[in-house]
């Protein structure tokens, strides 16, 4: 009491020291928090020590197969523990491969004692700045402890056990022994465990014969064996290889010249063995398996007896696989893969559940539904239309389909003709290029990009000399492109009255004891108004009724959009009913032309065949929703006089004839199916004018 009194007296005499006193309280509070944490970790260490064996090398959980179930709880796959593993001694592993792993996974491996406080603090700082889990602080020793001795359960207890086991491993084994165990344990995709099996799988040689180029490639794969496997995604694997080489330079293992030389070298990848037979939903099963491997680790999926409940509807899946058999056999490419290839994705727009997925003909492991980034062509135009509807346009707004010159770029319609003044609904129905560009020019290309991003498209390039902030984006001429999964998911927003729900493939995962490891919680957000979504749907219904997508008519209310790119490299049809959204893509893997195949032809026919079977037991119903009146709506879009092309006298008669023909056809342009984005006579678009303020483009979204 006496001390407190003196303290109070002191504060009364020196009020200026209040800040110092508060600072001391904060320090004391932090000290107490740290004390509690240390005590908890100590207790965890004690608990962990009672659940481990002295000989950690033999302390491994018994393997158990995992099962994958469909939406109805029926088992569709048994993921067993068969592995391709060939252990080798550390002396057989090239120094370049050892250094590559240390540089990219744990650069302080030779300095710490199993746990790296500096790495943990760095990861914590990075994650706090990014407001998410962007970086982990696990060392190579901790990763070995987790993969070999523990479950993948994400709990504090498991993490504490991991730390304790790492410390115990460091006491029992040398750094070289730990690195040897780790490199024989790690998963590299394609069923390959350990560096020797990986070297044989990808390069057809023993690990001791690997070059620096090959070592860097292998060291980059374990971060995400599905995504970075050169057999699945060579471009991503090359990019990851460059990252590994840069890390090796950073930590002094090689110099810049050596790294540059390795980056320029080509990789001689062993061609994958063709599957003798295919199973139902093989691409979907591989997608789910690899997604869980990325999340929990290969050992969890192959050895820990997980129960994986998914969204796949096998009736819809069988309908999808049957519809994709319409793909013609045109040619066999250099990899002995039949072309063209195709992809189909079907999603319930209300909960995001992926009901069917086909990623190709089933003769390889490249899932084109999730990994093929292709140009969408006119299938991108609905994002321009919905952005216009959100900015005072209506389906009856008049746009002048007339020549335009934007800094030397003169976009053309597929027919080569112009139809004069047409309604926005007709622009959608007949997939007109020039009016679409004029709309994007009026509202700014940032707005369609923003809405597309909010609907789940993540592949936009927004910075740099080549980016998507140009008017050619309005016609689907993107820097990279889109995947069928993301484009189909984006269209779900239109079917769900403007609300986007992220796609879901896994409903829940249980461990071998029946404990729930994860439970799907669909993430949704309102992107556009219900009225705009309803109006767009009405416009896209016209595409199927009387527009470029009549071959997709299934005899019930449905909306959709065709897409065809320049020189017929890609053909799309993405459409929906009130209950189901389906996207179909067709193209050659090497991006060569397809002899005039357009989105309104083969993709629309595949879409129709699938939807008729998939919805056979679902009653037909109309789209519902409300349309709010738009105040100050745009009745007619006036031409920008600066970009309007002045007609020459000698072409006046031809222009008048085109206008008369269009009028006679009720505003329909001269005959010509879906409009390819950037057709042969259409040069690349220049960069658009600076985007309007408040465009809302999220630069970090990529």
């Amino acid at each position: 009491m006496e001390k407190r009194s003196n303290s109070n007296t002191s504060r009364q005499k020196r009020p200026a020291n209040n800040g110092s006193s508060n600072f001391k309280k904060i320090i004391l509070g932090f000290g107490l928090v740290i004390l509690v944490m240390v005590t908890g970790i100590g207790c965890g260490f004690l608990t962990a020590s009672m659940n481990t064996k002295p000989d950690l090398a033999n302390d491994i959980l018994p393997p158990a197969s995992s099962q994958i179930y469909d939406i109805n709880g029926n088992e569709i796959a048994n993921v067993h523990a068969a592995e391709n593993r060939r252990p080798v001694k550390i002396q057989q592993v090239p120094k370049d491969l050892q250094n590559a792993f240390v540089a990219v996974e744990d650069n302080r491996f030779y300095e710490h004692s199993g746990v790296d406080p500096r790495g943990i603090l760095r990861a914590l700082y990075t994650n706090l700045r990014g407001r998410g889990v962007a970086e982990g602080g696990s060392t190579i020793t901790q990763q070995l402890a987790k993969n070999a001795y523990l479950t993948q359960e994400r709990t504090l207890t498991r993490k504490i056990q991991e730390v304790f086991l790492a410390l115990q491993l460091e006491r029992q084994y040398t750094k070289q022994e730990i690195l040897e165990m780790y490199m024989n344990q790690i998963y590299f995709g394609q069923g390959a465990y350990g560096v020797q099996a990986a070297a044989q799988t990808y390069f057809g040689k023993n690990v001791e014969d690997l070059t620096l180029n090959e070592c860097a490639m292998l060291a980059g794969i374990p971060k995400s064996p599905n995504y970075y496997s050169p057999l699945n995604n060579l471009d991503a694997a090359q990019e990851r290889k460059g990252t590994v080489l840069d890390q090796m330079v950073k930590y002094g293992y090689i110099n810049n010249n050596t790294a540059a030389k390795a980056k320029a070298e080509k990789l001689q990848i062993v061609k994958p063995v063709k599957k003798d037979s295919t199973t139902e939903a093989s691409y979907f099963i591989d997608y789910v398996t690899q997604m869980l491997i990325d999340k929990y680790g290969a050992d969890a999926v192959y050895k820990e007896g997980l129960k994986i409940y998914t969204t796949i509807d096998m009736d819809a899946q069988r309908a999808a696989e049957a519809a994709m058999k319409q793909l013609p056999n045109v040619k066999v490419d250099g990899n002995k893969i039949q072309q063209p290839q195709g992809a189909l994705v079907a999603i319930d727009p209300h909960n995001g559940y992926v009901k069917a997925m086909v990623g190709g003909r089933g003769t390889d492991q490249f899932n084109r539904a999730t990994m093929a980034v292709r140009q969408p062509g006119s299938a991108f135009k609905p994002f321009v239309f919905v952005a216009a509807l959100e900015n005072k346009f209506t389906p009856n707004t008049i746009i002048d389909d007339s020549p335009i010159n934007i800094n030397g770029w003169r976009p053309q319609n597929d027919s080569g003709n112009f139809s004069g003044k047409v309604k926005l609904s007709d622009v959608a129905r007949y997939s007109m290029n020039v009016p679409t560009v004029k709309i994007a020019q009026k509202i700014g290309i940032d707005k369609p990009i923003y809405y597309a991003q909010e609907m789940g498209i993540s592949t936009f390039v927004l910075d740099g000399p080549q980016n998507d902030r140009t008017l050619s984006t309005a016609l689907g001429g993107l820097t990279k492109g889109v995947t069928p999964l993301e484009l189909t998911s984006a269209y779900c927003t239109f079917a769900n009255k403007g609300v986007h729900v992220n796609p879901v493939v896994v409903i829940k995962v249980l461990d071998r004891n029946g404990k729930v490891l994860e439970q799907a919680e669909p993430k949704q957000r309102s992107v556009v108004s219900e009225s705009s979504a309803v109006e767009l749907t009405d416009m896209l219904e016209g595409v199927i009724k009387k527009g470029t997508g009549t071959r997709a008519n299934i005899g019930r209310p449905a909306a959709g959009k065709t897409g065809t790119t320049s020189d017929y490299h890609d053909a799309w049809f993405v459409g929906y009913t009130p209950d189901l959204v389906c996207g179909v893509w067709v193209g050659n893997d090497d991006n060569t032309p397809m002899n005039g195949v357009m989105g309104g032809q083969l993709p629309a026919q595949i879409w129709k065949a699938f939807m008729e079977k998939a919805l056979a037991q679902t009653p037909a119903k109309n789209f519902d929703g409300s349309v709010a009146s738009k105040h100050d709506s745009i009745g007619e879009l006036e031409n920008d006089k600066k970009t309007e092309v002045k007609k020459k006298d000698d072409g006046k008669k031809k222009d008048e004839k085109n206008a008369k023909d269009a009028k006679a056809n009720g505003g329909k342009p001269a005959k010509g199916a879906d409009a390819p984005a950037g057709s042969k006579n259409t040069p690349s678009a220049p960069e658009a004018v600076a985007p309007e303020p408040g465009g809302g483009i999220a630069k970090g979204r990529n």
Side-chain angles (χ1 to χ4, degrees):
M1 294 293 293
E2 185 178 5
K3 289 183 180 179
R4 191 185 308 164
S5 177
N6 290 339
S7 176
N8 290 338
T9 304
S10 174
R11 282 197 296 268
Q12 290 174 359
K13 290 181 179 179
R14 291 178 294 178
N17 287 338
N18 281 343
S20 175
S21 176
N22 290 335
F23 179 74
K24 289 179 181 179
K25 288 181 179 180
I26 293 172
I27 294 298
L28 179 61
F30 274 116
L32 289 173
V33 171
I34 292 173
L35 178 62
V36 171
M37 290 176 63
V38 170
T39 303
I41 292 174
C43 293
F45 285 169
L46 181 61
T47 302
S49 65
M50 293 187 293
N51 291 289
T52 57
K53 297 178 181 179
D55 186 5
L56 292 176
N58 297 319
D59 187 20
I60 300 177
L61 290 171
S65 299
S66 295
Q67 288 77 44
I68 298 178
Y69 302 92
D70 67 7
I71 189 69
N72 297 312
N74 300 314
E75 182 179 324
I76 58 173
N78 184 49
V79 184
H80 51 79
E83 340 176 324
N84 175 14
R85 190 195 300 275
R86 304 175 190 179
V88 293
K89 295 295 183 182
I90 193 67
Q91 292 78 10
Q92 297 173 255
V93 180
K95 204 65 180 176
D96 281 337
L97 187 55
Q98 296 180 42
N99 294 338
F101 268 106
V102 171
V104 78
E105 295 288 346
D106 182 7
N107 63 80
R108 284 173 38 82
F109 173 68
Y110 294 108
E111 300 171 32
H112 61 67
S113 299
V115 179
D116 186 10
R118 187 186 302 180
I120 294 173
L121 290 174
R122 183 179 63 250
L124 180 62
Y125 175 72
T126 302
N127 294 336
L128 288 175
R129 286 190 64 190
R131 296 185 180 181
V133 182
E135 183 175 320
S138 294
T139 64
I140 282 177
T141 315
Q142 286 176 264
Q143 292 179 53
L144 174 63
K146 178 182 67 175
N147 292 333
Y149 311 121
L150 299 172
T151 68
Q152 303 297 321
E153 184 181 9
R154 296 188 172 188
T155 63
L156 179 60
T157 300
R158 204 275 299 152
K159 190 66 177 177
I160 292 173
Q161 287 181 323
E162 175 190 306
V163 169
F164 180 81
L165 284 168
L167 295 174
Q168 194 170 349
L169 279 167
E170 292 276 351
R171 287 198 301 269
Q172 290 188 17
Y173 303 100
T174 65
K175 289 289 186 180
Q176 287 297 91
E177 289 172 333
I178 291 171
L179 190 58
E180 178 183 304
M181 286 189 284
Y182 173 77
M183 298 180 84
N184 283 318
Q185 178 74 26
I186 202 74
Y187 182 64
F188 288 88
Q190 310 298 324
Y193 283 82
V195 291
Q196 172 66 6
Q200 289 285 351
T201 298
Y202 292 112
F203 305 114
K205 60 173 66 174
N206 292 324
V207 66
E208 56 261 35
D209 299 324
L210 294 177
T211 65
L212 171 62
N213 184 27
E214 293 163 342
C215 288
M217 172 68 74
L218 285 190
I221 293 175
K223 179 179 175 66
S224 179
N226 176 45
Y227 187 73
Y228 291 117
S229 167
L231 294 178
N232 289 346
N233 197 340
L234 184 58
D235 290 340
Q238 293 275 25
E239 185 176 344
R240 176 68 176 160
K241 181 192 78 173
T243 300
V244 174
L245 291 168
D246 290 340
Q247 288 294 101
M248 294 181 74
V249 171
K250 180 178 179 180
Y251 295 109
Y253 293 113
I254 57 176
N255 58 39
N256 283 312
N257 291 336
T258 303
K261 183 179 178 182
K263 288 179 182 179
E265 290 178 7
K266 291 185 177 180
L267 286 162
Q268 299 298 323
I269 304 295
V270 176
K271 293 180 181 179
V273 178
K274 183 178 179 180
K275 293 182 179 180
D276 294 330
S277 61
T278 58
T279 58
E280 288 183 329
S282 60
Y283 288 104
F284 180 82
I285 291 169
D286 286 347
Y287 179 62
V288 169
T289 301
Q290 294 297 339
M291 185 177 71
L292 292 176
I293 286 173
D294 291 346
K295 189 171 186 178
Y296 296 108
D299 285 347
V301 176
Y302 291 131
K303 296 180 179 180
E304 294 186 9
L306 303 181
K307 307 294 183 185
I308 305 159
Y309 294 88
T310 72
T311 60
I312 196 77
D313 182 324
M314 290 308 297
D315 289 335
Q317 180 65 29
R318 293 183 187 103
E321 292 177 5
M324 291 297 286
K325 292 186 184 299
Q326 295 187 38
L327 289 172
N329 296 329
V330 176
K331 66 176 183 178
V332 176
D333 66 12
N335 294 320
K336 299 183 178 179
I337 302 295
Q338 184 69 55
Q339 302 294 335
Q341 283 286 342
L344 183 151
V345 180
I347 304 176
D348 184 329
H350 308 301
N351 55 21
Y353 284 12
V354 176
K355 313 295 285 186
M357 177 185 289
V358 180
R361 292 174 178 261
T363 55
D364 64 357
Q365 291 182 301
F366 182 65
N367 189 341
R368 294 157 188 83
T370 62
M371 301 173 72
V373 181
R374 305 290 296 224
Q375 295 296 318
S378 296
F380 186 84
K381 289 177 182 175
F383 302 110
V384 178
F385 302 150
V386 81
L389 293 171
E390 287 284 279
N391 287 271
K392 299 184 179 181
F393 280 66
T394 73
N396 293 319
T397 296
I398 301 298
I399 300 100
D400 188 7
D401 180 23
S402 60
I404 187 174
N405 185 339
I406 305 173
N407 298 329
W409 179 48
R410 299 174 182 237
Q412 303 291 318
N413 294 315
D414 181 51
S415 65
N417 299 321
F418 298 92
S419 300
K421 294 186 177 183
V422 294
K423 295 179 181 179
L424 176 59
S425 57
D426 290 326
V427 175
R429 179 179 298 140
Y430 304 117
S431 197
M432 300 180 183
N433 283 344
V434 177
T436 303
V437 172
K438 289 185 176 182
I439 294 168
Q441 186 183 40
K442 174 65 176 179
I443 64 177
I445 195 60
D446 277 9
K447 288 185 174 68
I449 292 176
Y450 168 77
Y451 289 119
Q453 283 183 316
E454 289 296 296
M455 296 178 199
I457 295 181
S458 63
T459 49
F460 289 108
V461 178
L462 302 178
D463 298 299
Q466 286 188 322
N467 62 70
D468 292 319
R469 303 175 90 163
T470 67
L471 289 176
S472 62
T473 293
L475 305 182
L478 307 184
T479 305
K480 290 184 176 179
V482 296
T483 65
L485 175 61
E486 288 194 349
L487 187 59
T488 304
S489 175
Y491 271 62
C492 287
T493 314
F494 309 143
N496 198 32
K497 303 178 185 178
V499 177
H500 178 72
V501 184
N502 290 354
V504 177
V505 295
V506 174
I507 298 173
K508 65 179 177 180
V509 178
L510 309 180
D511 67 10
R512 64 171 72 194
N513 299 316
K515 182 178 180 180
V516 177
L517 297 181
E518 68 173 81
Q519 184 90 35
E521 296 180 1
K523 298 178 181 178
Q524 65 179 37
R525 58 185 173 275
S526 178
V527 179
V528 297
S529 65
E530 180 179 327
S531 61
S532 293
V534 170
E535 288 179 329
L536 179 69
T537 294
D538 184 65
M539 290 164 54
L540 298 186
E541 282 190 90
V543 172
I544 293 178
K545 290 176 180 177
K546 295 182 179 180
T548 61
T550 54
R551 296 188 187 187
N553 196 322
I554 56 176
R556 64 164 70 196
K561 185 69 188 74
T562 54
T564 310
T565 60
S566 59
D567 295 328
Y568 309 102
H569 290 164
D570 301 273
W572 298 79
F573 189 85
V574 189
Y576 54 94
T577 66
D579 303 297
L580 191 64
V581 182
C582 175
V584 176
W585 165 83
V586 176
N588 292 323
D589 285 336
D590 59 3
N591 207 31
T592 52
M594 289 189 298
N595 300 322
V597 175
M598 306 181 77
Q601 299 169 348
L602 182 58
Q605 293 167 356
I606 293 174
W607 186 90
K608 177 181 179 180
F610 165 73
M611 294 293 278
E612 285 180 337
K613 285 188 178 180
L615 296 172
Q617 304 302 318
T618 303
K621 64 180 181 180
N622 292 315
F623 292 100
D624 59 5
S626 60
V627 177
S629 61
K630 288 185 171 69
H631 299 289
D632 302 322
S633 60
I634 297 176
E636 181 174 345
L637 177 64
E638 296 183 4
N639 282 334
D640 184 343
K641 297 300 181 181
K642 294 180 181 179
T643 60
E644 189 176 7
V645 175
K646 294 181 179 179
K647 300 176 183 178
K648 296 180 180 179
D649 292 338
D650 57 359
K652 185 175 181 181
K653 293 183 179 179
K654 181 179 179 180
D655 293 327
E656 289 176 350
K657 182 179 183 299
N658 289 339
K660 289 180 179 179
D661 290 343
K663 187 175 181 181
N665 289 330
K668 179 178 178 180
K671 186 176 181 181
D674 180 41
S679 54
K680 292 181 181 179
N681 58 347
T682 307
S684 299
E687 252 191 62
V689 183
E692 297 179 14
I697 298 298
K699 292 187 177 181
R701 193 176 295 272
N702 287 339

